[in-house]
Each structure stands twice: as C-alpha cells, then as structure tokens.
Amino acid sequence: MNASVDGHYLALSGGVGGAKLALGLSHCVPAEQLTIVANTADDFQHYGLHIAPDLDTVMYTLAALSNQELGWGLAGETWQFLEAMERLGEPTWFRLGDRDLATHVFRTSRLAAAATLAEVTAELCQRLNIGPRILPMTNDPVSTQVLTDEGRLGFQDYFVRRQCEPAVSGFEFAGIEQAQPLPELMAALEDPQLRAVVICPSNPFVSIDPILGLPGVRIAIRNTAAPVIAISPIVAGLAIKGPAAKMMAELGIPVTAAAVAEYYEGLIDCFVVDESDATLAPMIETENMSVAVRPTIMKSLDDRVSLGQAVLALAEELT
Amino acid sequence: MNASVDGHYLALSGGVGGAKLALGLSHCVPAEQLTIVANTADDFQHYGLHIAPDLDTVMYTLAALSNQELGWGLAGETWQFLEAMERLGEPTWFRLGDRDLATHVFRTSRLAAAATLAEVTAELCQRLNIGPRILPMTNDPVSTQVLTDEGRLGFQDYFVRRQCEPAVSGFEFAGIEQAQPLPELMAALEDPQLRAVVICPSNPFVSIDPILGLPGVRIAIRNTAAPVIAISPIVAGLAIKGPAAKMMAELGIPVTAAAVAEYYEGLIDCFVVDESDATLAPMIETENMSVAVRPTIMKSLDDRVSLGQAVLALAEELT
C-alpha cells in the first residue's frame, strides 16, 4: 500500500484481463481511492437469472475467490445444478456452477425486490469483504449484439455457446442510447481529485466500448484533467485472453497493439504496450499520446501488482 | 400392472408419507389411470425462487430420485450453493440442495414466463419421465399459517426453521377463499369413471385440509359416487413422519387413528388403520364409514405396492 497517494483512481474493466489489473491496482492504493467500473453489456438472463459475467469476474478476482485453473468462475466449483438441469432437458452450454449460482440467485432476488444493479453489487462486495468500490457501468439494460456471418448473436451466445467461431462484422449495444451511465461513474470522472483513468487490458470492442458508449462518458473522459492510460490487450499480435485478436482480423484491423492505440486515439494520454512490442512504440506515439513500454503480461500476483504500480507511476508522471 | 382395471383413481397427497402411497398406487394401475393431487399450501418463495415441497416430494418419489437417507430431497444431493449463500450472509435454514435447485430455478423461470404451476408441473413430470399425472391442488397462491405460542408462522418457518418446536393452536390457509381448485381436480371428482378417491396417509391439518378447503372440493368429494378411502397417518399413537402427532396433542385431540377418522367423518367411506391399531377398528366404524385393518407402514417398495393394492381392493369392494 502506498498510503501517501491521495485522490482517486478509476479503472474501466471487462472480465479476466481487466480484473487482473484491477487486482494489481487494489494492492497499490488504499481501497477507498480505487473505483472499478465493469462492463455490463455482456449481462444476460439465463434460466430467469440475471447473470453479470464481467462484474462477477471482477468481484471474484478481488475477493480472491476466482478459479485459477478454469480462468473463470469460482475456485472449487462443482456442477450438480447443471447436471440436474441437463436431466430436465434444459440447455447447459452456459456453465453455471453451484457456488456461482448463489451470486446470480441473490442478485436476481434483490433486483426483483427493486434494488438497482449497483446496490446489489455493493451488497455483494460488502459481503465478500471487497475493499475497492466496484460499479456496474449502468443500472440500465445494455446488450451487446455480435453481428456475424451467422447473423446477429447475443454476446454470450456468440462467446460461450458458439465459442467465438462465427466471423464478426460488427457490434451493436442494444439499449445504450437510453441507458444512463452510473451517476457515481460520472461523478468520479468529474471529480477534481481524480488522479487517473485506467483503461484495463480488456477487449476494446465488447468490454470497453460499451462503457465509453454510454451517453456522456466519452466526453467526460476527454474533459478530465486526469491522465487517461490504456494498457494494450494485444501483445505481440495476440490477445492474452479472449477473442480480441480474432475479432480484429475479421474486422480488417491489423492485429497489433498499434491498431488498439489508434482505436483509442483522441481519448487517451498514454498507451502502455508490452516489452515484446517495444519496437512499435515510436510508430504509435503521437503529439497527444505518449507510449510506455512495460511488462504487461500478468501471470502471477506480483506481475499484477507490478503493472498496477507502473500504471500509477505513469499517472504521476503525466500529471 | 393390473391392465384390466379401467376408470380413474385420484389420490390426495402431502409430502413424504403421501408420496410413498402414491408410488405404491403407481405400481398397481396404468399411469394414465392415476392422478395425484399435491398440497401446495406449503409452497413459499425463498431467495426469490418458487419452492413447492409437497409437489417436489411426490415428483421425486415417482421419478425414483428421492433421497432415501435424508427422507427428503434428491438422491446424491450436494450443498455447494448453500455454502456459497452462507458466505454471502444469507439465511440457510432451508436446505436447498444443488440438484434440487434446478427444479426451483426451472419452475420460477417458467412461472415468470406466465406458465401456470400446473403447466410447469406437467413439464417437469414429462422431463422426469413420470407416468401418472401429478397436479398442484391449485394454480393460485395459498399459504399455510401456523398459529403458535410464538405467534403466526409461515409453514416452512414453523416446519424447517423452527423444527416444529412452537406449540400449535390452529392453522389458517391464507388465500384459500380466492383460490380456484385446479379444473382437472374438479373434473376428476366429477368424472363418472372415477373409481376411488384416496386420501393418502398425510398430515390431515396441513397437507390434506388445504386441498379439502379449496372452494367446492369438499362437496365434490361428498358428491362423488366413487368410494373415498383415507389411510391413517397415525399408527399406534405416533405419526410415521412429521408433526401430525405433536400437533394433535397441542390441539387437544387424542393422538390416535380414531381421532383422525373422526376428523374425516362425513367425508370418507372407509378408513384404513394399521394392524397395530386393529383393536380400535370396532370403535371407529360408523354407519357410513367402514374401517379396514391393513399393514400401512411403508418401509420398502413392496410395502408401498402392497398398501396400494390393498387400497385398490377396498375400492373394488366398496363400489
């Protein structure tokens, strides 16, 4: 902990990759100085339950409950519920574990009792002893639609059921124009004490874009005096996790950290690439966007904390 | 199977004891000739899920999925979900198993999609390959309230959380006046092909009374030409399962099969007592109600089938 830091840090995150950096950051600043905003455009209803995969991944990661072997879900997970669902002839492509189910049942029950998604998330975080504030990007429904050569697919349908196989031609975020960004997100962006906005190494198209696309968010990020730092989810032409690289290829975008930087250009002040992409740095740098070369691959907790510290140091330099 | 039997049999059942006889009957008549109506006044909402304990007990018993060791729930049950709920600080007095949960999640989801409880029950039975028709007594909410020395308690609150400890002074079935008995139940009672109404050895106060108390049911049972046969849930002054004996004592009713017979008097044509209560038979018999002495304790499947056969034989004699 670096207790001498004051002000406030805001991290925008999707699932696994973003959650790793969020965990790293949580080891570098006092809990009350860190807010993590998670994408909720992947949320969906399954068996009548409200499932929020990115929120849960961030929560489970920060609560040290995440399943290291699977790379998703909860440690020590079991699958008896899903087996029973299979016996009932229900679809089981979405792997809902017995422990994970508690989160969804709790959330669904609270939402049915008129709690907001942010309120339920705060309750879950409190009960799981999570220090930093975790916020859904919005309390309103936003639903990522993946436009593919097999037609329009809901995100989980594309991602889990179809295993990202269909070729992607674009995305739509149903409901985004009507959705209100969470007031706490806007307040954090407008807070003069804001010390940095960190765009975690998450999928730019389906994890970060829905957050940025909420009415007023992009302009609030542009307007903040705090530095905006994005970490490349593409390392040496590959995505560390998930379909980002495959999507880029299908969208006709070069699969490079440089292309991600270009995607964020005009919004961010600093782009962080991995050491293996050091040679790209001079080509990416623009008048308004610096490039930092750092080790960004986060295998161990130490890696996560180191990258968190590097990002905070960059924020300090850029201020 | 006795394929020569025609007509139709109707069994009224609560949970475990009733389900045992229902299973026995299902071995004695073709599936399409047996309808089992389960009490739903024990149903309640827990974690936002619709739980129907008696319906599920009957279903699981007929699907040969019931847990023989516990005496309730599903065989091979596990408790990961409940542990995770406990970690979230949620109450865990109602033991929802991981497998059992599939039934509740499926039911809740279908009810939310405007299916009736009877429709969901039919879907579940079809998916679990259950032959006989299982019906909820009503699609409408009826809720048993137990009046006790600790005040008014919801049935599961009394039965599971408080382990039947509070002394009972009476019962109320909230919603029963407004509830419509299931049309299929009324149709079965009015069917000239009805061969018998079997009141299973279930708790008269909290399992059978709610069925009988639905508008029109008691009179339809009185009006049917078919014999109405009740099996005593009290054997040698004890309840085989559940709080019936304790309730009778607290209500100031002698804890005897004779008192149960008196409770049903005017409604039934024949009362079946266990062999251990043979000496009571002459005292119970009235002009309009015969008494049969049979082995009613159902430890094995053979016991269940034997009692089923005995009941069907009595129905034949009484016709």
Side-chain angles (χ1 to χ4, degrees):
Chain A
M1 291 284 190
N2 180 353
S4 70
V5 176
D6 61 79
H8 198 251
Y9 296 87
L10 183 66
L12 311 185
S13 178
V16 179
K20 285 181 181 176
L21 179 54
L23 178 63
L25 290 167
S26 77
H27 283 255
C28 303
V29 295
E32 63 275 17
Q33 295 185 319
L34 179 61
T35 296
I36 303 144
V37 172
N39 169 45
T40 58
D42 295 2
D43 290 17
F44 78 131
Q45 299 279 328
H46 194 53
Y47 310 138
L49 301 172
H50 184 109
I51 299 175
D54 286 355
L55 263 182
D56 288 349
T57 298
V58 172
M59 281 195 321
Y60 294 162
T61 302
L62 266 79
L65 293 172
S66 58
N67 190 313
Q68 304 295 319
E69 294 79 45
L70 284 178
W72 54 271
L74 282 166
E77 191 57 282
T78 58
W79 312 96
Q80 297 298 311
F81 166 80
L82 210 66
E83 265 184 35
M85 273 295 194
E86 190 158 36
R87 193 167 56 198
L88 291 179
E90 287 295 288
T92 56
W93 54 267
F94 195 83
R95 307 293 295 166
L96 274 185
D98 300 325
R99 296 181 178 205
D100 189 30
L101 201 56
T103 305
H104 312 312
V105 167
F106 176 80
R107 176 188 291 122
T108 304
S109 155
R110 294 287 296 121
L111 291 174
T116 65
L117 185 56
E119 286 166 351
V120 182
T121 305
E123 288 167 5
L124 285 165
C125 286
Q126 194 249 316
R127 287 158 184 230
L128 295 173
N129 294 313
I130 295 170
R133 184 167 62 156
I134 300 176
L135 303 176
M137 65 182 200
T138 176
N139 284 322
D140 302 320
V142 177
S143 168
T144 297
Q145 304 290 305
V146 185
L147 310 179
T148 78
D149 56 358
E150 297 183 4
R152 171 191 297 260
L153 298 173
F155 182 75
Q156 299 301 336
D157 209 20
Y158 161 81
F159 186 63
V160 181
R161 190 180 64 82
R162 295 290 293 114
Q163 297 280 300
C164 308
E165 277 174 26
V168 167
S169 56
F171 307 95
E172 286 177 18
F173 306 118
I176 200 162
E177 285 92 357
Q178 294 76 46
Q180 291 299 312
L182 207 73
E184 293 86 339
L185 163 58
M186 298 311 284
L189 286 170
E190 287 156 14
D191 184 350
Q193 292 292 304
L194 183 64
R195 299 291 297 262
V197 178
V198 179
I199 298 179
C200 290
S202 295
N203 188 308
F205 312 108
V206 294
S207 298
I208 301 301
D209 260 4
I211 307 177
L212 301 179
L214 288 165
V217 169
R218 202 179 290 267
I219 196 133
I221 294 178
R222 280 214 186 93
N223 286 346
T224 180
V228 181
I229 304 169
I231 295 85
S232 181
I234 299 291
V235 171
L238 298 169
I240 297 297
K241 179 117 181 44
K246 181 171 182 287
M247 286 175 173
M248 292 173 84
E250 290 161 0
L251 293 167
I253 301 172
V255 186
T256 62
V260 178
E262 199 174 326
Y263 197 76
Y264 286 139
E265 215 188 316
L267 190 74
I268 65 175
D269 302 299
C270 178
F271 191 67
V272 182
V273 300
D274 186 63
E275 289 173 321
S276 59
D277 287 325
T279 54
L280 292 176
M283 290 178 277
I284 298 174
E285 203 145 72
T286 67
E287 202 178 328
N288 298 312
M289 180 177 69
S290 64
V291 175
V293 179
R294 299 287 184 280
T296 67
I297 298 177
M298 296 175 282
K299 288 194 176 156
S300 66
L301 177 59
D302 279 352
D303 296 340
R304 288 157 215 194
V305 177
S306 297
L307 184 57
Q309 281 167 334
V311 169
L312 294 178
L314 283 169
E316 200 75 15
E317 286 171 33
L318 289 159
T319 301
Chain B
M1 289 289 188
N2 181 352
S4 71
V5 176
D6 60 75
H8 197 252
Y9 295 87
L10 183 66
L12 311 185
S13 178
V16 178
K20 284 182 182 176
L21 179 54
L23 177 65
L25 290 167
S26 77
H27 282 256
C28 303
V29 295
E32 63 275 16
Q33 296 184 320
L34 178 61
T35 295
I36 303 142
V37 172
N39 168 44
T40 58
D42 295 3
D43 290 17
F44 78 130
Q45 300 279 327
H46 194 52
Y47 310 140
L49 300 172
H50 184 109
I51 299 174
D54 285 354
L55 264 182
D56 289 349
T57 297
V58 172
M59 282 196 318
Y60 295 162
T61 302
L62 266 78
L65 293 172
S66 57
N67 191 313
Q68 304 295 317
E69 294 78 45
L70 282 178
W72 54 272
L74 282 166
E77 191 57 282
T78 58
W79 312 97
Q80 298 298 310
F81 165 80
L82 210 67
E83 265 185 33
M85 274 296 194
E86 189 157 37
R87 192 167 57 198
L88 290 179
E90 288 295 290
T92 56
W93 54 267
F94 195 82
R95 307 294 296 166
L96 274 185
D98 300 325
R99 296 181 177 203
D100 188 31
L101 201 56
T103 304
H104 312 311
V105 167
F106 176 80
R107 175 187 292 122
T108 305
S109 154
R110 295 286 297 120
L111 291 174
T116 65
L117 185 58
E119 285 165 352
V120 181
T121 304
E123 289 168 5
L124 284 165
C125 287
Q126 194 248 316
R127 288 158 183 231
L128 294 173
N129 294 313
I130 295 170
R133 184 166 63 155
I134 300 175
L135 303 177
M137 66 183 200
T138 175
N139 284 322
D140 301 321
V142 177
S143 168
T144 296
Q145 305 290 306
V146 186
L147 311 180
T148 78
D149 56 357
E150 297 183 5
R152 171 191 296 260
L153 297 174
F155 182 74
Q156 299 303 334
D157 208 22
Y158 161 80
F159 186 63
V160 182
R161 190 178 65 79
R162 295 291 293 114
Q163 298 281 302
C164 308
E165 278 174 27
V168 168
S169 56
F171 307 95
E172 286 177 19
F173 307 119
I176 200 161
E177 285 94 358
Q178 294 76 45
Q180 290 300 312
L182 207 72
E184 292 88 339
L185 163 58
M186 297 312 285
L189 285 170
E190 287 155 14
D191 184 351
Q193 291 293 304
L194 184 64
R195 299 291 296 263
V197 178
V198 180
I199 298 180
C200 289
S202 296
N203 188 308
F205 312 106
V206 293
S207 299
I208 301 300
D209 259 4
I211 307 178
L212 301 179
L214 288 165
V217 170
R218 202 179 289 266
I219 195 134
I221 294 178
R222 282 214 184 94
N223 287 346
T224 181
V228 181
I229 303 168
I231 295 86
S232 180
I234 299 290
V235 171
L238 298 169
I240 297 297
K241 179 119 181 44
K246 181 171 183 289
M247 285 174 175
M248 292 173 84
E250 289 161 1
L251 292 168
I253 301 173
V255 186
T256 62
V260 178
E262 198 174 329
Y263 198 74
Y264 286 138
E265 213 187 317
L267 188 73
I268 66 176
D269 303 298
C270 178
F271 191 67
V272 182
V273 300
D274 186 63
E275 290 175 320
S276 60
D277 287 324
T279 54
L280 292 177
M283 288 179 278
I284 298 174
E285 203 147 71
T286 68
E287 200 178 329
N288 298 311
M289 180 176 71
S290 64
V291 175
V293 179
R294 298 288 184 281
T296 67
I297 298 177
M298 296 176 281
K299 288 195 175 154
S300 66
L301 177 60
D302 279 352
D303 295 339
R304 290 157 213 193
V305 177
S306 297
L307 184 56
Q309 281 167 336
V311 169
L312 294 177
L314 283 169
E316 202 75 14
E317 289 170 31
L318 290 159
T319 301

